[in-house]
Amino acid sequence: MLTFYYKRLTKGAEILSVLTSLSYEQLMQKNKEYVWHPFTQMKGYMEDEPLIIARGEGRKLYDVQGNGYWDGVSSIWLNVHGHRVKELDDAIRSQLDQVAHSTLLGMANVPAILLAEKLIEIMPPGLTKVFYSDSGATAVEIALKMAVQYWQHKGKPQKYKFITMKEAYHGDTIGAVSVGAIDLYHETFRSLLFPSIKTPYPYSYRSPYKPEEIVGKHLDEMETVLQNYGDEIAGVIVEPIVQGASGIIVMPPGYLSGLRKLCTHYDVLLIADEVATGFGRTGKMFACEHEKVTPDLLTAGKGLTGGYLPVAVTVATDEIYDAFLGEYEEQKTFFHGHSYTGNPLGCAVALANLELFEKERLLNAVEQKSIHITKKLQVFSELKHVGNIRQKGFMIGIELVKDKVTAESYSWQERVGVKTCRRAKELGMLLRPLGNVIVFMPPLASTVTELDEMLEILWESIIDVTERGL
Ligand SMILES: *Cc1c(COP(=O)(O)O)cnc(C)c1O
């Protein structure tokens, strides 16, 4: 079998025709035999007919049997302009004619330099230095390690702990899991994790506080923690404005800027994890801009390359960067890097992505289209089992509940989220739920007509599952 593939591979492009000549059944068989899928119970998966994507075009993905589906969650929160976008495809091709990869350890490459310059131009003011990696999780690891080492250089080595938010998600590597707080994903690894202090994320649905009290109460709570532990705290890590994986939880206005003030006052670093919220997702280039906040460290990934290739960044202020400068013998170097750090193909497509943002005036369009989505979603709130709709820009979460009046949740065994998304797939849209929350995160470039078609499927799927029992 292997020699069969290698023979074909040596003939270059011919591998493509081999791959496309395989039938769905053959691919399904090989998928079952060889692939272990992320965040997937393989037993159930093996019993299902798997979706196998062959190609994409615009806001749609097509399976090997030729069925088209709207990419309703932007291939898990990444995609910006759609698939097979000429400008992005061309950027990769022309970089490929130069070089695919060279290391960033002690040397540079052209796209990595130009992308860093561009990023600093669009980042919240005061963020000045870009450190590359290849996933959101690694960007978070880097931010945590930078924070700890920063305090050592500042002569405060006792400041090494982190404050995080309840239900936070920062990625799946061990450091990122240590500042994560979703028990279902994280509890298994407790013995490997460093402890972090968890405070509640401000959140209005089911809150014990009155809406006008929420921000004040939560900031008070944070301040108490900072008063008690500030001397040991390296930083506070937060998903600014929208907490994503916990179910698209939108922070009430005023909290983030209040948190920034507290961090400054108690001398701890503010780490904004913008991996999900960055690059226009919430209607601003970065979510921190909603409250004119500059964090000390900002992590970004997902939409950075338009959803094309794995590139992520940790961006720091001069204050942090400068603390690492010293003579070689002082050993103040930041000893961290990955094989593919600053990958030229990824950086080239990220640059093209950002150029296209400007050319298409995409942020303005997102603002307009977000208002359109808000209007369309109003009727959803009348549905019998829609408990809460949360939206910031193109991040939307619709929480399905058993009882709307008491806000009683469906039990997880009922799997209403999974069922609704399965129904949506039958109707032509790919979604992935978070428990009982249906996540809708279309590519930012989706047109109004496309959004309407997607929302129609969303509407039908929710009614079919929660009211018609399909
Ligand atoms: C997705 C996500 C991450 C992890 O990014 P990966 O690229 O999947 O490692 C980290 N933080 C937030 C807020 C995310 O949404």
Side-chain angles (χ1 to χ4, degrees), residues 104-152:
L104 216 63
L105 271 60
M107 47 195 259
N109 69 65
V110 180
I113 295 171
L114 298 181
L115 176 60
E117 178 190 33
K118 183 78 209 164
L119 285 170
I120 293 309
E121 193 186 306
I122 62 171
M123 283 275 161
L127 292 167
T128 53
K129 293 288 188 286
V130 175
F131 195 100
Y132 286 108
S133 60
D134 40 39
S135 73
T138 54
V140 167
E141 298 286 339
I142 289 162
L144 301 175
K145 288 173 75 177
M146 276 181 180
V148 166
Q149 192 173 336
Y150 166 79
W151 288 114
Q152 288 178 21

Coordinates of all heavy atoms in Angstrom, one line a residue, residues 104-152:
L104 N 13.2 30.8 12.2 CA 13.3 32.1 12.7 C 14.2 32.2 13.9 O 14.4 33.3 14.5 CB 11.9 32.6 13.2 CG 11.5 34.1 12.9 CD1 11.5 34.4 11.5 CD2 10.1 34.4 13.5
L105 N 14.8 31.1 14.3 CA 15.8 31.0 15.4 C 17.1 31.8 15.0 O 17.9 31.2 14.2 CB 16.1 29.6 15.8 CG 15.2 28.9 16.9 CD1 13.8 28.9 16.4 CD2 15.7 27.6 17.2
G106 N 17.2 33.0 15.5 CA 18.4 33.7 15.2 C 18.5 34.2 13.7 O 19.5 34.8 13.4
M107 N 17.5 34.0 12.9 CA 17.5 34.6 11.6 C 16.1 34.9 11.2 O 15.2 34.6 11.9 CB 18.2 33.7 10.5 CG 17.8 32.2 10.6 SD 18.9 31.1 9.7 CE 17.9 30.9 8.2
A108 N 16.0 35.6 10.0 CA 14.7 36.2 9.7 C 14.2 35.7 8.3 O 15.0 35.1 7.6 CB 14.7 37.7 9.8
N109 N 13.0 36.0 8.0 CA 12.5 35.8 6.6 C 11.6 37.0 6.2 O 11.1 37.7 7.1 CB 11.8 34.4 6.4 CG 10.5 34.3 7.1 OD1 9.5 35.0 6.8 ND2 10.4 33.5 8.1
V110 N 11.4 37.2 5.0 CA 10.7 38.4 4.5 C 9.3 38.5 5.0 O 8.9 39.5 5.6 CB 10.8 38.6 3.0 CG1 10.1 39.8 2.5 CG2 12.3 38.6 2.5
P111 N 8.4 37.5 4.8 CA 7.0 37.7 5.2 C 6.9 37.8 6.7 O 6.0 38.6 7.1 CB 6.3 36.4 4.7 CG 7.2 35.8 3.7 CD 8.6 36.2 4.0
A112 N 7.7 37.2 7.5 CA 7.6 37.3 9.0 C 7.9 38.7 9.4 O 7.3 39.2 10.4 CB 8.5 36.3 9.7
I113 N 8.8 39.4 8.8 CA 9.2 40.8 9.1 C 8.0 41.7 8.7 O 7.5 42.5 9.6 CB 10.4 41.3 8.3 CG1 11.7 40.5 8.8 CG2 10.6 42.8 8.6 CD1 12.9 40.7 7.9
L114 N 7.5 41.5 7.5 CA 6.5 42.4 7.0 C 5.2 42.2 7.8 O 4.4 43.2 8.1 CB 6.2 42.3 5.5 CG 7.5 42.6 4.7 CD1 7.2 42.4 3.2 CD2 8.0 44.0 5.0
L115 N 4.9 41.0 8.2 CA 3.6 40.7 8.9 C 3.7 41.3 10.3 O 2.8 41.9 10.8 CB 3.4 39.2 9.0 CG 2.1 38.8 9.8 CD1 0.9 39.4 9.3 CD2 2.0 37.3 9.9
A116 N 4.9 41.2 10.9 CA 5.0 41.8 12.3 C 4.8 43.3 12.2 O 4.1 43.9 13.1 CB 6.4 41.5 12.8
E117 N 5.4 43.9 11.2 CA 5.2 45.4 11.1 C 3.7 45.7 10.9 O 3.1 46.6 11.6 CB 5.9 45.9 9.8 CG 5.7 47.4 9.6 CD 6.3 47.9 8.3 OE1 6.2 47.1 7.3 OE2 6.8 49.0 8.2
K118 N 3.0 45.0 10.1 CA 1.6 45.2 9.8 C 0.8 45.0 11.1 O -0.2 45.7 11.4 CB 1.1 44.2 8.7 CG -0.3 44.4 8.3 CD -0.4 45.6 7.4 CE -1.8 46.2 7.5 NZ -1.9 47.5 7.0
L119 N 1.1 43.9 11.8 CA 0.4 43.6 13.1 C 0.5 44.7 14.1 O -0.5 45.1 14.7 CB 0.8 42.3 13.7 CG 0.4 41.0 12.9 CD1 1.1 39.8 13.5 CD2 -1.2 40.8 13.1
I120 N 1.7 45.2 14.2 CA 1.9 46.3 15.2 C 1.1 47.5 14.8 O 0.6 48.2 15.7 CB 3.4 46.6 15.4 CG1 4.1 45.4 16.0 CG2 3.6 47.9 16.2 CD1 3.5 44.9 17.3
E121 N 1.0 47.7 13.5 CA 0.2 48.9 13.0 C -1.3 48.8 13.4 O -1.9 49.8 13.8 CB 0.3 48.9 11.5 CG -0.1 50.1 10.8 CD -0.1 49.9 9.3 OE1 1.0 49.5 8.8 OE2 -1.1 50.1 8.6
I122 N -1.8 47.6 13.4 CA -3.3 47.4 13.7 C -3.6 47.0 15.2 O -4.7 47.0 15.6 CB -3.9 46.4 12.8 CG1 -3.3 45.0 13.0 CG2 -3.8 46.8 11.3 CD1 -4.1 43.9 12.2
M123 N -2.6 46.7 16.0 CA -2.8 46.2 17.3 C -3.2 47.4 18.2 O -2.8 48.6 17.9 CB -1.5 45.6 17.9 CG -1.2 44.2 17.5 SD -2.1 43.0 18.4 CE -2.0 41.6 17.3
P124 N -3.8 47.2 19.4 CA -4.0 48.3 20.3 C -2.7 49.0 20.6 O -1.6 48.3 20.7 CB -4.5 47.6 21.6 CG -5.2 46.3 21.1 CD -4.4 45.9 19.8
P125 N -2.7 50.3 20.7 CA -1.5 51.1 20.9 C -0.7 50.7 22.1 O -1.3 50.4 23.2 CB -1.9 52.5 21.0 CG -3.4 52.5 21.4 CD -3.9 51.2 20.8
G126 N 0.7 50.6 22.0 CA 1.5 50.2 23.1 C 2.0 48.8 23.0 O 3.0 48.4 23.6
L127 N 1.4 48.0 22.1 CA 1.9 46.6 21.9 C 2.9 46.8 20.7 O 2.5 47.3 19.7 CB 0.7 45.7 21.5 CG -0.2 45.4 22.7 CD1 -1.5 44.7 22.2 CD2 0.5 44.5 23.7
T128 N 4.1 46.3 20.9 CA 5.2 46.7 20.0 C 6.0 45.5 19.4 O 6.8 45.7 18.5 CB 6.2 47.6 20.7 OG1 6.6 47.0 21.9 CG2 5.5 49.0 21.0
K129 N 5.9 44.3 20.0 CA 6.8 43.3 19.6 C 6.0 42.0 19.4 O 5.3 41.5 20.3 CB 7.9 43.0 20.7 CG 8.9 44.2 20.8 CD 9.8 44.3 19.6 CE 10.9 45.3 19.9 NZ 10.5 46.7 19.8
V130 N 6.3 41.3 18.3 CA 5.6 40.1 17.9 C 6.4 38.9 18.1 O 7.5 38.8 17.5 CB 5.1 40.2 16.4 CG1 4.5 38.9 15.9 CG2 4.2 41.4 16.2
F131 N 5.9 37.9 18.8 CA 6.6 36.6 18.9 C 5.7 35.5 18.3 O 4.5 35.4 18.6 CB 6.8 36.3 20.4 CG 7.7 35.1 20.7 CD1 9.0 35.4 21.0 CD2 7.3 33.8 20.5 CE1 10.0 34.4 21.3 CE2 8.3 32.8 20.7 CZ 9.6 33.1 21.1
Y132 N 6.2 34.9 17.3 CA 5.4 33.9 16.5 C 5.4 32.5 17.1 O 6.3 32.1 17.7 CB 6.0 33.8 15.1 CG 5.8 34.9 14.2 CD1 6.9 35.8 13.8 CD2 4.5 35.2 13.6 CE1 6.7 36.9 13.0 CE2 4.3 36.3 12.8 CZ 5.4 37.1 12.5 OH 5.2 38.2 11.6
S133 N 4.2 31.9 16.8 CA 4.1 30.4 17.1 C 3.1 29.8 16.1 O 2.8 30.5 15.1 CB 3.8 30.1 18.5 OG 2.6 30.6 18.9
D134 N 2.5 28.7 16.4 CA 1.7 28.1 15.4 C 0.3 27.6 15.8 O -0.4 27.0 15.0 CB 2.5 26.9 14.7 CG 3.2 26.1 15.8 OD1 2.7 25.9 16.9 OD2 4.3 25.6 15.5
S135 N -0.1 28.0 17.0 CA -1.5 27.7 17.4 C -1.9 28.6 18.5 O -1.0 29.2 19.2 CB -1.7 26.2 17.8 OG -1.1 26.0 19.1
G136 N -3.1 28.7 18.8 CA -3.6 29.6 19.9 C -3.0 29.1 21.2 O -2.6 29.9 22.0
A137 N -3.0 27.7 21.4 CA -2.5 27.2 22.6 C -1.0 27.6 22.8 O -0.6 28.0 23.9 CB -2.6 25.7 22.6
T138 N -0.2 27.5 21.8 CA 1.2 27.8 22.0 C 1.4 29.3 22.2 O 2.2 29.7 23.0 CB 2.1 27.4 20.7 OG1 1.5 28.0 19.6 CG2 2.2 25.9 20.6
A139 N 0.5 30.1 21.6 CA 0.6 31.6 21.9 C 0.3 31.9 23.3 O 0.9 32.7 23.9 CB -0.4 32.3 21.0
V140 N -0.6 31.1 23.9 CA -1.0 31.3 25.3 C 0.2 30.8 26.2 O 0.6 31.5 27.2 CB -2.3 30.5 25.7 CG1 -2.5 30.4 27.2 CG2 -3.5 31.2 25.1
E141 N 0.8 29.6 25.9 CA 1.9 29.1 26.6 C 3.0 30.2 26.7 O 3.6 30.4 27.7 CB 2.5 27.9 26.0 CG 1.6 26.7 25.9 CD 1.4 25.9 27.2 OE1 2.3 26.1 28.1 OE2 0.4 25.2 27.3
I142 N 3.3 30.8 25.5 CA 4.3 31.8 25.4 C 4.0 33.0 26.3 O 4.9 33.5 27.0 CB 4.5 32.2 23.9 CG1 5.1 31.0 23.2 CG2 5.3 33.5 23.8 CD1 5.0 31.1 21.7
A143 N 2.7 33.4 26.3 CA 2.4 34.6 27.1 C 2.6 34.3 28.6 O 3.1 35.1 29.4 CB 0.9 35.0 26.9
L144 N 2.2 33.0 29.0 CA 2.4 32.7 30.4 C 3.9 32.6 30.8 O 4.3 33.1 31.9 CB 1.8 31.3 30.7 CG 0.3 31.2 30.4 CD1 -0.2 29.7 30.6 CD2 -0.6 32.1 31.3
K145 N 4.7 32.0 30.0 CA 6.1 31.9 30.2 C 6.8 33.3 30.2 O 7.7 33.6 31.0 CB 6.8 31.0 29.2 CG 6.4 29.5 29.5 CD 7.0 28.6 28.4 CE 8.5 28.3 28.5 NZ 8.9 27.3 27.5
M146 N 6.4 34.1 29.3 CA 6.9 35.5 29.2 C 6.6 36.2 30.5 O 7.5 36.9 31.1 CB 6.3 36.3 28.1 CG 7.0 36.1 26.7 SD 6.2 37.1 25.5 CE 7.2 36.7 24.1
A147 N 5.4 36.1 31.0 CA 5.0 36.8 32.2 C 5.8 36.4 33.4 O 6.3 37.2 34.2 CB 3.5 36.5 32.5
V148 N 6.0 35.0 33.5 CA 6.7 34.5 34.7 C 8.2 35.0 34.6 O 8.8 35.5 35.6 CB 6.6 33.0 34.7 CG1 7.7 32.4 35.7 CG2 5.2 32.6 35.1
Q149 N 8.8 34.9 33.4 CA 10.2 35.3 33.3 C 10.4 36.8 33.5 O 11.3 37.3 34.0 CB 10.7 34.8 31.9 CG 12.3 34.9 31.9 CD 12.8 34.3 30.6 OE1 12.2 33.5 30.0 NE2 14.0 34.8 30.2
Y150 N 9.4 37.5 33.0 CA 9.4 39.0 33.1 C 9.5 39.4 34.6 O 10.4 40.2 35.0 CB 8.1 39.6 32.6 CG 7.8 41.0 33.0 CD1 8.5 42.1 32.3 CD2 6.9 41.4 34.0 CE1 8.3 43.4 32.7 CE2 6.7 42.7 34.3 CZ 7.4 43.7 33.7 OH 7.2 45.0 34.0
W151 N 8.8 38.8 35.5 CA 8.8 39.1 36.9 C 10.1 38.7 37.5 O 10.6 39.3 38.4 CB 7.6 38.5 37.7 CG 6.3 39.3 37.3 CD1 5.2 38.8 36.7 CD2 6.1 40.7 37.6 NE1 4.3 39.8 36.6 CE2 4.8 40.9 37.1 CE3 6.8 41.7 38.2 CZ2 4.2 42.2 37.2 CZ3 6.2 43.0 38.3 CH2 4.9 43.2 37.8
Q152 N 10.7 37.6 37.0 CA 12.1 37.2 37.5 C 13.1 38.3 37.2 O 13.9 38.7 38.0 CB 12.5 35.9 36.9 CG 11.7 34.7 37.5 CD 12.1 33.4 36.9 OE1 13.2 33.2 36.3 NE2 11.2 32.4 37.0

